Amino acid sequence: MIFDVLTLFPGILTSPLQESILGKAIAAKALAVRTHNIRDWAEGKHLTADDTPYGGGDGMVMKPEPIAGAVRAAKEKNPKARVVMLTPQGKVFRQADAVRLSREPGLILLCGRYEGFDERVRTTLVDEEISIGDYVLTGGELGALILIDAIARHIPGVLGSQGSAETDSFSDGLLEYPQYTRPFEWEGQKVPEVLLSGNHAAIEKWRRQQQLIRTRQRRPDLLDQVELSEDDQKFLHQLERNDERPPQG
Ligand SMILES: C[S@@+](CC[C@H](N)C(=O)[O-])C[C@H]1O[C@@H](n2cnc3c(N)ncnc32)[C@H](O)[C@@H]1O
């Protein structure tokens, strides 16, 4: 998978792409990230990539021609790449999108700055608009890094053990169960005994039930969208009945 990131500030991406899992995956060629400065396609003495908005108002708007030049150059190298615009007005990015996009042959990520892009960039060059959440950043670069990081975890060879992506929160529609490591007792809190039992079936059952408890407490909206087994449903009904039971004593 090749990511082409189009930005006015390529330096923002340097360090995060060199460190830890992403850095190793890039060194191992499990994925590649190329950054391109949109200004390289700007024209005129000052290489202007932005201009004042028609109709007046604060801020600057990113001009369409340099972006078109940058997108078309990236497409020449990777014709099947999908063009994704980072924008707070896009569809909010979710785990299912990370999995879906990890199967693309390439992604061209368009990072905006200032007041964003001339509208004709969106209508002419873009396959998909993605927001990383309902808040506004100063630019799309951090959003692009979030996309790369979340998508890369689903590219074979990127994570040491593929298993960890499969059990993470959201992979099966639920939040993950609580995790523990040594020491067994810390600040008066012990690790649940079942995790030391060596009984794999009992551990699996405990973990699944913990996923259901956590998701019900923190993200009940997720339970409406997930396929639950008969055992899951029985356990959730039991939790509901416990809630309804009057307090003892
Ligand atoms: C200050 S924002 C522009 C916001 C734009 N004027 C609006 O109100 O929709 C500048 C750039 O940051 C990026 N950006 C900001 N917030 C984002 C978000 N939540 N998700 C994805 N990209 C975002 C986009 O690339 C955007 O073009």
Side-chain angles (χ1 to χ4, degrees):
M1 153 81 92
I2 298 172
F3 294 90
D4 283 290
V5 185
L6 313 190
T7 164
L8 286 172
F9 299 96
I12 295 175
L13 289 106
T14 310
S15 167
L17 295 174
Q18 288 173 346
E19 303 284 340
S20 186
I21 291 176
L22 279 186
K24 282 187 198 143
I26 291 168
K29 298 194 172 12
L31 73 147
V33 184
R34 303 186 287 222
T35 52
H36 310 274
N37 193 330
I38 293 168
R39 207 174 293 285
D40 292 346
W41 283 269
E43 289 186 349
K45 201 167 77 179
H46 300 293
L47 300 180
T48 308
D50 55 287
D51 207 336
T52 52
Y54 272 116
D58 287 337
M60 300 297 273
V61 177
M62 290 180 70
K63 287 164 67 61
E65 315 94 299
I67 298 171
V71 169
R72 285 170 185 152
K75 276 252 172 188
E76 248 171 55
K77 284 195 196 148
N78 196 359
K80 291 200 174 140
R82 191 166 176 76
V83 181
V84 175
M85 174 188 268
L86 274 299
T87 163
Q89 301 183 22
K91 178 175 171 274
V92 175
F93 185 62
R94 301 177 73 92
Q95 184 82 342
D97 297 307
V99 175
R100 172 176 61 84
L101 292 173
S102 73
R103 298 183 187 128
E104 292 288 336
L107 293 175
I108 298 170
L109 305 179
L110 270 184
C111 304
R113 279 271 148 182
Y114 321 121
E115 286 307 313
F117 305 94
D118 181 294
E119 179 66 6
R120 292 163 291 183
V121 170
R122 186 181 72 76
T123 53
T124 311
L125 299 166
V126 171
D127 296 315
E128 179 166 353
E129 297 167 61
I130 291 185
S131 164
I132 57 151
D134 289 346
Y135 40 79
V136 177
L137 302 165
T138 53
E141 292 76 11
L142 296 180
L145 283 168
I146 286 172
L147 258 57
I148 293 168
D149 194 294
I151 293 167
R153 301 181 84 251
H154 300 281
I155 297 173
V158 168
L159 292 184
S161 126
Q162 274 295 308
S164 52
E166 280 154 24
T167 60
D168 277 333
S169 296
F170 307 113
S171 340
D172 61 1
L174 301 176
L175 301 183
E176 198 187 45
Y177 46 81
Q179 298 270 17
Y180 294 88
T181 185
R182 273 166 277 278
F184 169 67
E185 184 168 350
W186 182 73
E187 303 222 338
Q189 300 169 73
K190 289 182 183 158
V191 173
E193 289 286 350
V194 63
L195 298 178
L196 287 84
S197 66
N199 181 338
H200 295 296
I203 292 171
E204 281 302 300
K205 184 173 173 193
W206 180 86
R207 286 182 165 166
R208 183 70 186 175
Q209 292 185 344
Q210 290 296 317
Q211 282 194 277
L212 292 165
I213 291 170
R214 291 220 141 179
T215 308
R216 182 172 176 267
Q217 278 170 348
R218 297 168 189 219
R219 291 292 305 275
D221 56 301
L222 295 178
L223 289 176
D224 298 334
Q225 300 158 32
V226 71
E227 250 184 66
L228 296 169
S229 69
E230 244 176 68
D231 282 349
D232 292 338
Q233 290 178 25
K234 266 192 215 153
F235 183 68
L236 284 169
H237 285 141
Q238 195 185 318
L239 292 176
E240 268 162 39
R241 279 200 301 277
N242 290 351
D243 284 353
E244 285 159 11
R245 208 172 283 161
Q248 303 292 306

